[in-house]
Every structure is written in C-alpha cells, then in structure tokens.
Amino acid sequence: MATAATTAVSVEERGGSRLSAAALIGPATFIVAAGLLIPIVILFRYSLNKFVPRLMMVDALTIESYVKFFTDAFYLGVFFTTVKVAMICTIACLIMGFPLAYALARTRTRYKNILIMLVVLPLFVGNAVRAAGWMTLFGSKGMINAGLVGFGLVDVPVQMMFTEGAVIVGIIAVNLPFMVLTLQSVIESIDRAVEEAAFSLGADPWHMFWRVLWPLALPGIVAGIILTFILGMNAYATPVLLGGPEFKMMAPLVFGQMQLGNWPFGAAVSFILMTTTLVLTVIAGLSLHKRYRR
Amino acid sequence: MARLELNQLSKRYGDFFAARDVTLDVADGEFLVLLGPSGCGKTTTLRMIAGFVEPTSGAVRIGDNDVTQLPAWKRNTGLVFQSYALFPHLTVAQNVAFGLEMRKAPRSEITQRVGEALELVRLGHLGDRLPRQLSGGQQQRVALARALAFQPDVLLLDEPLSNLDAKLRQEVRVEIRKLQQSLNLTTVMVTHDQEEALTMADRLVVMSEGAVRQVGSQRDLYERPADRFVAGFVGRSSFLSGSLETPERFRSAGGIAVACRPSTVAIGPATLALRPERVTVTPEAISDVENGFVGEVEFVSYLGGLIDLHVRLSPSDLVIAQIPNREDGFMPRTGDKVHVGWTVASASVFPGSGDDADSADL
Ligand SMILES: Nc1ncnc2c1ncn2[C@@H]1O[C@H](COP(=O)(O)OP(=O)(O)OP(=O)(O)O)[C@@H](O)[C@H]1O
Ligand SMILES: [Mg+2]
C-alpha cells in the first residue's frame, strides 16, 4: 500500500519534471555534442587514414598508425612517461592537497576567502608565464644555482631545468589548486560533529580520518583525482617549457605530429591518450567506490 | 561507571568567561542535569568533560583519574550530540560497533554487545539500515545505543531531545531515565527545557553567565531558590521589590507589608519572590493566611484545568496567581476586585531590589 503510493508519486514527479529537465540540460548537451563528440568522431576517422609524405593524408581504412605507435620503443616510452608523470602528480596533489583542503574547510578565521584566493592565485598566471618564472629560479643561471655556486657549495650548476622532476613539480603546481578546491567543498559539507563523534567513541585522529573522513570525502576525492589526472595526462605547456627538447609527453607529441602534417598519426596518438585517460579514470573511480558501496 | 568531579573548571575566550569556576561532584550512577538559559555555558562545560574544549583552568576527574590533559579519544565518555552525528556511511549496527572496534574488542564480543545495545533501545530489527533511512526518534536511539555500547565511564547528553516533537520527547525522556537507572549510568545532561530537567534529574545544576548558581534536588530549587535568578528561572515567580524592615517583615515599594519567614538577608533593599500556585484568590476575605490583600484583576488566562491571573495590589505591585478551575464557578474577570493571600512560608526574600523586579519569568 505504502509502496504503491510512493511509486505513484515518484512516477508523477518524474513525468512532470521530464520536460523542464530536458530544457535545463539541453544547451549543455548540445555544446558537448557539437564541440566534443563530433571532433572526436572526425579525429577517429582521421586516425584510420594513411599518411603519404608528399600527399599528406590519404583516405583509407587502416590501423597502420596504431601499429606504428605500439611497436616503436620511443612512442611507448612517451606513453609510459606520460602515465607515470600524471599518476605521480595526482597522488602528490592528493597527499598535499588533503591537509590543505581540510584546514581551509575547517578554519573559523574571517580571512577564509583570502586564503582560498591564495590557493587559486597560481592559476591567475598562465602556464607559459609560470614556466618562464621557474626558469629564472631553476635554470643553470637561475637564482638557486647562482646561490649554490656563489656559496661554493657546488662547482658546476646543478641540472634542474629540463628534467622529469622539474616537469612533475611544474604540473603539481598547476593541478594542486583544482584538487584543493574540490576537496575543500566536500569536506565542508561533512558535519564537524561527526568527527567529534568518532573521537568521543575512542578513535584517534588517524582512525577518525580513515574510518570517517576519508569515506565521507570519497566523492570529492574521486572527483579531484579525475580532474588532476586528466590535467596531468594532457599537460602541454609545462612539459614543453620545463622538460626541454629531450623530454616528451603525449600532448606535445600530438601537436608535433600535426605540425609535421601527419594528421593520421597525430589523431591516433590523441585517440590513445584520450582512451587511456578515460579507462584509467573509470578504473580508479570504480575501485575507490567499490570499497564503500552498499 | 564512575564518579565524575569538576574542580574549579573555567573556560575563557579572550576576556569572556564561557564557564567560570564550575565545581561539581557527580556520584556513581547519578543523573545530573545542567540547566540554564541560552549561552550560559552548559555546552562548554559538557565539552570540557568530553575533552573537546580545553579548560583555561581547573580539573576534570573521572573515577580515580585526572583526565584534564587527556584527548577526547582517551577519556571513555559516551557523548550524544544534539544533531546525533551518526556516521551516514555506516549502518546502524556499524555505528553502534564503532566504539568497540576502536577498543579492539574481539569480533564475537562486538556482535553480542551491538545486539544488546540495539535491543536496549528497541531497535534490534533495524541493524542493517542506514541512518538516513530512520526517523528522528530512531536516530536518537541509535546515537544513545552507540554511546552506551562500549560501556563508557560517563554518559554525556547535549540537548538530546530538542530535535524531537513534543509527544516523542515525553516518551524518550522516560526511556532514557529508565535506561540510565537500570544500567546505573553516571550521566550529565544539558538542557534548557525546565520540564525535561525536572522530570529526569536526580540533581540539577542551575547555571547562568558561565557560573553555577545552585545545585540541588528539584524540591531544593523550587522551594529554596538560592537567589533571585534561580527563583525566576526554575518555575515561575512574581517579584515584588522593596526592602526588608525587620527580619520577618518585607515592605514593597508600593507600601504593602508582607510577613515572611525569618531570613538571613540583611535589613535594607530586598526582593520578594512568590510562587503563583501558592497564592490563593477568593471573592471574599481570607481568614487563615498571614498575608491577605485586596487587588484588581488585570489579566486572565484560561488554561483548562488552571487559571492564570495577574492581580495588581498597588500601582507598583503585581502578583501572578495560578488557581484551580473550581466547580463552584469562581471565575474572576478583568477588572474584578478579589482577595489575595499567601502563607508566611510561601515567599522567599533576596537581597537587593532589582529594577525589573515585577517581571516574572514565564
Ligand atoms: N569558540 C568560542 N569562541 C568564543 N566564544 C564562545 C565560543 N564557544 C562558545 N562561546 C561563548 O560561550 C558562551 C557559552 O556557550 P555555550 O555553547 O556553552 O552555551 P549554552 O549554555 O550551551 O547555550 P545554548 O543553550 O544556547 O546551547 C556563549 O556566550 C558563547 O557565545
Ligand atoms: Mg548548548
């Protein structure tokens, strides 16, 4: 009886809101379809074409480009470097971002908005400008090396620019604000009393975190991981400017190929990049959620 | 369960005392209620016991241990929050098991104790539900079961009933009290609901502005309020301002002379407090009371079984009387002249004549 009544109500509600829901998500759906899906389909079609050096792109249906990618040690190296760098950056952002987000969410200071602005501040500077700034700091004639040499701590400048480490630090600096803001909003929605309840029941701070805060913040953690991982996988300016000519990641590779006019291979690389990002994101999301699903 | 002692406990924010020199001794198995108006420091005191507010000075002892320096998770106090604060991602049974798991109890013991605790609050059948699938009253009982399951030394309740509707509140009140008595739980409850405090407590603590005003049984507080604040806060009182002429005679500012029981209050400015139901109101003069006056009814409030009257005895003396709705149909109306009387033992005298002395706390 009660069940029948609720069902009836919810059916009615759903019917009534169907139209307005369509109106609300319509524009966004259109933009996504026109701006994302169509280019992806075209890109995929391109990736199956043939590249002939003088004629550029020739219509065909071949997986030549994909075979080339997965059989060449250089391209595979770029692929694994990209995945590795993105993962390291994501984990580092989570580990560094969580305490920061927690402090931001729980602070009672009047200057909270200013603190949030400080977190976002790095994003006000474009990637290229920021990378240029880092060069002045980390370059062989940069401030740190000038200091080290000046104090006689080292004889030759330490190679800091154009290393994988520099790229990782650079990407973390860009991605950290996204992680912090995502986590902060979720932590803010968790009732402080729930944390205190855990303490009063005998949980020390570690158990409180692991048994209460982490599972309740999980939706935000997953969102933050997805966001920073996607940004890391697709990083362009940072690897180019801080990694130098020798260091390659996927996004610069795609662009390089297209500059050379090799659209089929560039399209294939972007397709591999996109698919990998998607698959890894879904796996991460599902495995994190499974632990707490009921 | 254990005895709980607070020794000169104070909490200062800046130069504002949220709690000031709170000294209390709660016996093993006693139900103590902290009562007071909003902002008087009840929650602050309770949170100092639980370990969430660090006292500025003073000490907390549970059993034989000084726990003042211990963090909340080492205190073994069971706390029920006003908002219940159940873990939304855990089932009812997992919520109740939490405290036992933190104490590394063996699995079989946890299962057994969780079952017992849920049975105690009559929710044995709902162990697999999530908190959001429960009604407010059920959530409240889960919070209680969770705080009891690990057998805390002291049970702390911060306005545990304020989110329940009036009828449920009455039931849960009795339930908690029975449970507390059968388990012999040392309990401190915070409330600003007088009726709740009066029906549940072994002893009450009236607080105001961070300080303890009086500690005692319901009867102590009602019949022998320690000061004007308590007389106004616990139950209702009419206040007449004036002065004490002799140890046994009070004269109001409006000139009324009242005989009262000998008090230790110094001769001079004073306030007289009078319980409304101790005042008799009759159409004719009353012979068997020491204090008899004539007054004019200013206001009548019909409460069914009872009638509330405001009777003016002089331009500056207003007395509130609560009389039974009698069969003989005596039903004063506004403007009527009536006879008002009370015995010597009915009034209390406090030093100082407050400016707002004729305002009664309702
Ligand atoms: N963190 C704080 N900083 C400054 N003042 C505080 C803080 N916490 C509490 N206070 C003040 O201390 C006083 C006592 O607060 P408390 O929460 O103990 O009151 P209460 O008796 O529980 O009141 P209520 O019945 O409204 O819950 C209040 O005036 C409050 O404003
Ligand atoms: Mg309070």
Side-chain angles (χ1 to χ4, degrees), chain A residues 240-273:
Chain A
V240 168
L241 293 167
L242 296 183
E246 300 297 311
F247 184 81
K248 280 270 177 290
M249 278 176 70
M250 291 289 270
L253 180 65
V254 171
F255 191 63
Q257 290 300 319
M258 298 196 170
Q259 267 183 325
L260 293 175
N262 192 344
W263 278 85
F265 191 63
V269 175
S270 23
F271 220 78
I272 293 165
L273 174 59

Side-chain angles (χ1 to χ4, degrees), chain A residues 175-241:
Chain A
N175 291 3
L176 193 57
F178 292 98
M179 181 65 98
V180 171
L181 291 186
T182 314
L183 291 177
Q184 183 231 341
S185 70
V186 174
I187 295 173
E188 236 162 44
S189 71
I190 301 172
D191 186 2
R192 182 81 227 243
V194 171
E195 290 174 29
E196 290 182 344
F199 288 136
S200 82
L201 291 168
D204 57 32
W206 166 252
H207 279 95
M208 188 284 285
F209 168 77
W210 190 235
R211 293 288 310 274
V212 177
L213 208 51
W214 176 269
L216 289 178
L218 202 61
I221 292 168
V222 170
I225 285 179
I226 290 176
L227 200 61
T228 49
F229 185 70
I230 292 175
L231 288 171
M233 286 291 281
N234 294 288
Y236 180 81
T238 315
V240 168
L241 293 167

Side-chain angles (χ1 to χ4, degrees), chain B residues 175-210:
Chain B
E175 247 173 65
I176 292 183
R177 178 62 166 148
K178 277 190 186 155
L179 206 62
Q180 181 268 336
Q181 283 176 327
S182 67
L183 300 177
N184 198 38
L185 298 166
T186 308
T187 306
V188 179
M189 183 176 91
V190 159
T191 181
H192 56 237
D193 181 330
Q194 267 191 54
E195 199 185 312
E196 199 170 295
L198 294 173
T199 49
M200 293 174 82
D202 286 319
R203 254 185 335 147
L204 298 106
V205 178
V206 181
M207 292 182 70
S208 132
E209 291 167 2

Side-chain angles (χ1 to χ4, degrees), chain A residues 196 199-201 203 211 294, chain B residues 47 52 77 89 101 103:
Chain A
E196 290 182 344
F199 288 136
S200 82
L201 291 168
R211 293 288 310 274
R294 282 179 32 82
Chain B
R47 289 170 64 81
F52 292 121
T77 53
H89 60 300
E101 284 170 8
R103 283 165 179 76

